[in-house]
Amino acid sequence: MEDAYARSVSEVLDFFGVDSSKGLTDFQVSQHARLYGKNVLPEEERTPFWKLVFKQFDDLLVKILIAAALVSFLLALINGETGLIAFLEPSVILMILAANAAVGVITETNAEKALEELRAYQADIATVLRNGCFSILPATELVPGDIVEVSVGCKIPADMRMIEMLSGQLRVDQAILTGESSSVEKDLESTIATNAVYQDKTNILFSGTVVVAGRARAVVIGVGANTAMGSIRDSMLRTDDEATPLKRKLDEFGTFLAKVIAGICVLVWIVNIGHFRDPAHGGFLRGAIHYFKIAVALAVAAIPEGLPAVVTTCLALGTKRMARLNAIVRSLPSVETLGCTTVICSDKTGTLTTNMMSVSKICVVHSIKNGPEVAEFGVSGTTYAPEGFIFDNTGVQLEFPAQLPCLLHIAMCSALCNESLLQYNPDKGNYEKIGESTEVALRVLAEKVGLPGFDSMPSALNMLSKHERASYCNHYWENQFKKVSVLEFSRDRKMMSVLCNHKQMEIMFSKGAPESIISRCTNILCNNDGSTIPMDATLRAELDSRFNSFAGKETLRCLALALKIMPMGQQILSFDDEKDLTFIGLVGMLDPPREEVRNAMISCMTAGIRVIVVTGDNKSTAESVCRKIGAFDHLVDYVGHSYTAAEFEELPGTQQTMALQRMALLTRVEPSHKRMLVEALQNQNEVVAMTGDGVNDAPALKKADIGVAMGSGTAVAKSASDMVLADDNFATIVAAVAEGRAIYNNTKQFIRYMISSNIGEVVCIFVAAVLGIPDTLAPVQLLWVNLVTDGLPATAIGFNKPDSDVMKAKPRKVSEAVVSGWLFFRYLVIGAYVGLATVAGFIWWFIYSETGPKLPYTELMNFDTCPTRETTYPCSIFEDRHPSTVAMTVLVVVEMFNALNNLSENQSLLVIPPWSNLWLVASIILTMLLHILILYVPSLSTLFSVTSLSWNEWAVILYLSFPVIIIDEVLKFFSRNSHGIRFNFRFRRYDALPKKELRDK
């Protein structure tokens, strides 16, 4: 029944054919069970493991790598090759892909846990009326039409419509569903609101929420998937994971690479088509196969085999650094996504605030000697911990608050006129409430005021264990005053009273709405001397004025406290006793903002990140919190910046678009609104981070580009998120964004490094093919360079220190290129030099080396005809391992120098020296040691077709390699000093990673 909230009690009961005094019959139960189903959230069919595995290979770059591995494998078989060398390359490629697939499968398996943990919010049992008798049944057996009784502490087992109140009031904590900071009072009246949201449905009890005060009966109207929890589950199921900006860039790069590789292969064939019939090949077909092998070698050279592994490693290193900042990353790609976040949609309750109601202001009458003198006190402390101080209106801390009469009696009344509990949880290391949050706030206030009569009171209390300290003062007052009778809170009186006995004296303490208490007071307790004076019109007006200031301007939740001396021996209270009261004081409380949030807000604004506060609370309360945390500091007025969900939905489409661009606060929201907000912002090309801690936040957390859950939040929210803040600190997000930006900058650098390396390899093989000289590098040598000599420095580049102004720049655009324009030209130049230097080393050995044959260049170009003609040298010279060893070593050393170029995009090595990243220096040393190892260990040199080198050969290698630093320094100089340099190459469709302006100038 979807509109039960708008129907009367009798209409709802008639709909289900149930008698409220007897409940359903057994026949009706079985009938309704068939009709409506079981009261369980159905298990979603899990993705089969094999599908998860295959999904990891559904990526263009991965497919290219698989194709390269298969072609290498087939060519090895065709040529009759055997042993380790023949299958080394395909095996290594497949191992890399398997490792990446394992990471992906683990990540996706974790994501599915969110739906399972949603079931933890379903109640286990319920008190149900059937066949005229009450019985306790498993909650899973409930059906629509069942009459259920609920009381304090009960978890609501299904969505239910209130039908009968069994106490003065019923209050429910539905923060996990709506994010409201205080409990909600429920009633029996039907709701007439149009487009009613959860907060408007005051006659509905939602599944998974908890009763904090009162007793009532309700009829079940929705079970299982047809409940508030069920709608959250459905919303999570409808949410598809969005590809991260880096994933999209790598996909674009894969597409670009595929086209480049195809073009290179075709070009090599076209250039060499006339050589297919050369006698050395033994026929046209064999010639075609020979040049196909060259094309495959080019393809292998063009593919950065280590890129997926290096990206994963860099992101993993980023997660370690973030963990030290208390940001636990659950999804590796989200590390990089943080760097381009443009909007943070932050839940208010529990994220920007502590979600722990605290008394922040106290108002008492000081004296009336020189006219009404009202005193205000401030209270520090923003959690349920009994830690904080009382300050007078000048900001001076009171050393012994309990020595002041009004504060002493406020502490008594707060402790005695109270049904809640405050206790310390050693497992979680924090203080927890049981009952109404406003009542717990009063208990904490009683602890902060302390006890009278001890000069050492504050220090003595601090010596207690946390368990004893939690309610020490409250227990003291409860032992001093024996409770005799209680008048529970009711909606018409708006107050609660308790009769206590103390040393043969009867005292009634009352608390309630200020307008209700003040109107019943005839006397006032003075704070200066403890005297009682009559309440007159002037005093009443002054107190009303302070109340309006607390409740209006400061949006505090106010309670007034009073007492009355009762006749000796009275044992029962009646409503008639609640008159002629003595006013003690007024307390104002709020869900306080976290202390560190204001600075975090300023950092977000400086970094060009917009913060939208999203909450289920009412508009005025939320606006007050936004003022306190600085979310409105940049606004002159709030018109067009603050909306309720209903106001926003009523706007026409074009106005909604405008509103989204200016919005700073959205109130009275329910889960569907949060998800809608994320989608709408994403449609405007915003990169959205959503924070939250409740079950109600889970769908939006899953939909956002990066979902950020609180460490103390629900398991559902954490499972649906990409990142968890261990310290629940909004400020940690800002630190994580800075880290994300630094990680992206480093990722960008090593991708460029690997691209320029691969361009060098392509140029090397292509130039060799065009010149008609022997193959400069064997495939196994290319693989060694790509995986080891490129992979280690590329990973170490991930440790580059972040720029000092990383949080002063605006967020990068999602479409921003990693390599394009002038930068692409730079890396083409560097890559071309790398390739030409490698070929030069190969040719040098044949023509100029003292240990080489010193052949004329024409002989080298005609090497393939050597067996068919007379020569002065043996043809076996072309199979010597020296020239390819020199070429390979030039390639390795030039790459090491190029790695140093990538310490910064535009800064000179004179400004950012190599030792600024010791990891990079270490990786270069390790890479060179490994390379020397394969040169000088016989078994390894055979495996990689290399040989040992002389000192003279090493000197030539260094001469050929070092100029890459000089070339890049010149290019960096132009980047820093030539504002107009832009090379807008016209390959927009397959530009590796689209355009960006130069940043480091």
Side-chain angles (χ1 to χ4, degrees), residues 345-347 614 674 677-678 688-692 697 700-701 704 706-709:
C345 295
S346 178
D347 185 41
V614 185
K674 292 187 177 185
L677 177 64
V678 171
V688 185
M690 166 62 82
T691 76
D697 299 319
L701 288 172
I706 175 160
V708 184

Side-chain angles (χ1 to χ4, degrees), residues 842-869:
F842 184 85
I843 294 173
W844 169 84
W845 188 87
F846 277 105
I847 299 176
Y848 300 109
S849 174
E850 293 297 325
T851 57
K854 294 191 175 181
L855 299 177
Y857 181 66
T858 52
E859 288 293 318
L860 184 61
M861 287 181 65
N862 296 312
F863 79 98
D864 50 352
T865 61
C866 180
T868 63
R869 57 190 173 84

Side-chain angles (χ1 to χ4, degrees), residues 358-364 375-381 389-393 407 410 442 445 448 546 549-551 553-559 561 585-590 628:
S358 302
V359 173
S360 62
K361 284 279 186 80
I362 300 172
C363 174
V364 299
E376 285 187 12
F377 297 93
V379 185
S380 68
F389 303 99
I390 316 292
F391 300 87
D392 64 19
N393 55 7
L407 293 184
I410 283 173
L442 291 176
L445 175 63
K448 290 175 182 176
R546 294 300 172 109
S549 172
F550 277 18
K553 184 181 175 183
E554 300 183 50
T555 61
L556 300 177
R557 187 167 184 183
C558 297
L559 287 175
L561 309 176
L586 185 70
V587 296
M589 56 187 78
L590 77 165
K628 289 184 173 78

Side-chain angles (χ1 to χ4, degrees), residues 609-630:
I609 300 168
R610 189 156 58 100
V611 178
I612 300 177
V613 180
V614 185
T615 178
D617 255 349
N618 65 63
K619 198 172 185 178
S620 59
T621 303
E623 285 179 349
S624 172
V625 171
C626 287
R627 281 195 296 272
K628 289 184 173 78
I629 63 175

Side-chain angles (χ1 to χ4, degrees), residues 1 15-16 18 24 28-29 32-33 35-39 141-147 159 219-223 226:
M1 190 176 188
F15 180 87
F16 292 110
V18 61
L24 295 175
Q28 286 178 305
V29 169
H32 287 194
L35 188 61
Y36 300 107
K38 275 194 157 191
N39 185 31
E141 294 183 13
L142 287 181
V143 296
D146 265 326
I147 306 296
D159 280 8
V219 59
V220 176
I221 57 169
V223 294
N226 297 315

Side-chain angles (χ1 to χ4, degrees), residues 29-46:
V29 169
S30 59
Q31 196 176 34
H32 287 194
R34 282 196 305 273
L35 188 61
Y36 300 107
K38 275 194 157 191
N39 185 31
V40 290
L41 289 177
E43 286 198 33
E44 181 60 22
E45 188 178 334
R46 279 176 163 255

